[in-house]
Amino acid sequence: MERSLVLIKPDAMERGLAGVIIGRLQGEGLNLVALRMLHMDRALAERHYAVHKDKPFFKDLVDYIISTPKVDAVFEGRGAVERIRTIMGATDPARAAAGTVRKDFGLDVQRNSTHASDSPENAEKEISLFFTKNEIFD
Ligand code: IDP
Ligand code: MG
């Protein structure tokens, strides 16, 4: 069974969309196995986005992601990583396909409502930053 980390980003939290987004994933048959609300500190945000540390948008991205508490979740299912990326849509909401979360709710390329892991390997690394083993259920 594959797992993926999903973060409900501040723009979605501020508009009360956490439940709707989690509900969409559950409605697609993905299994919710961990859930919490967390106000990330800068150090954790910088580790989570370390792959982007040399990008021009890095500091803005970190400032944004720590601007409000957010909902963090782990979903499990066969092919969960790719299925969830498809449900979320392209990074830029303007380019995301109709019916995707980012098309429906994203505001712009930074404030795109959700994070979802991009590979099973990265998912396991990301999940271990946010959840201990006994916070994940089966
Ligand atoms: P992803 O979230 O679809 O995997 P990444 O390329 O990994 O997209 O970028 C991580 C996050 O950084 C995006 O979700 C978005 O919030 C932000 N981001 C990506 N590209 C840009 C950009 O060109 N300008 C501003 N923010 C960006
Ligand atoms: Mg990414």
Side-chain angles (χ1 to χ4, degrees):
M1 269 302 173
E2 199 169 276
R3 300 188 300 190
S4 180
L5 179 74
V6 171
L7 307 180
I8 310 299
K9 288 179 170 179
D11 70 273
M13 294 299 297
E14 283 175 334
R15 288 175 290 148
L17 294 169
V20 171
I21 295 170
I22 287 168
R24 279 202 190 185
L25 297 171
Q26 291 181 306
E28 292 293 327
L30 289 148
N31 193 19
L32 180 63
V33 295
L35 184 69
R36 81 128 67 79
M37 203 160 154
L38 175 74
H39 199 163
M40 264 203 280
D41 63 19
R42 186 169 295 276
L44 176 58
E46 288 179 349
R47 282 181 74 189
H48 172 66
Y49 281 127
V51 63
H52 298 300
K53 68 179 188 305
D54 297 324
K55 306 262 173 67
F57 59 79
F58 179 69
K59 186 178 180 299
D60 257 17
L61 176 61
V62 170
D63 287 344
Y64 157 69
I65 202 75
I66 67 175
S67 64
T68 72
K70 48 167 194 28
V71 166
D72 309 332
V74 178
F75 280 89
E76 188 176 75
R78 196 159 293 147
V81 165
E82 198 183 324
R83 282 170 64 201
I84 293 172
R85 295 282 294 188
T86 301
I87 293 164
M88 296 312 187
T91 304
D92 184 350
R95 293 164 188 259
T100 61
V101 167
R102 283 167 164 174
K103 184 65 168 188
D104 289 346
F105 304 124
L107 300 177
D108 54 45
V109 69
Q110 177 184 83
R111 297 176 299 163
N112 57 3
S113 301
T114 61
H115 167 84
S117 305
D118 65 3
S119 70
E121 298 70 34
N122 286 341
E124 290 306 316
K125 285 187 210 155
E126 291 177 357
I127 288 166
S128 69
L129 281 181
F130 286 85
F131 293 97
T132 62
K133 276 200 166 65
N134 56 16
E135 291 172 324
I136 303 169
F137 298 90
D138 44 30

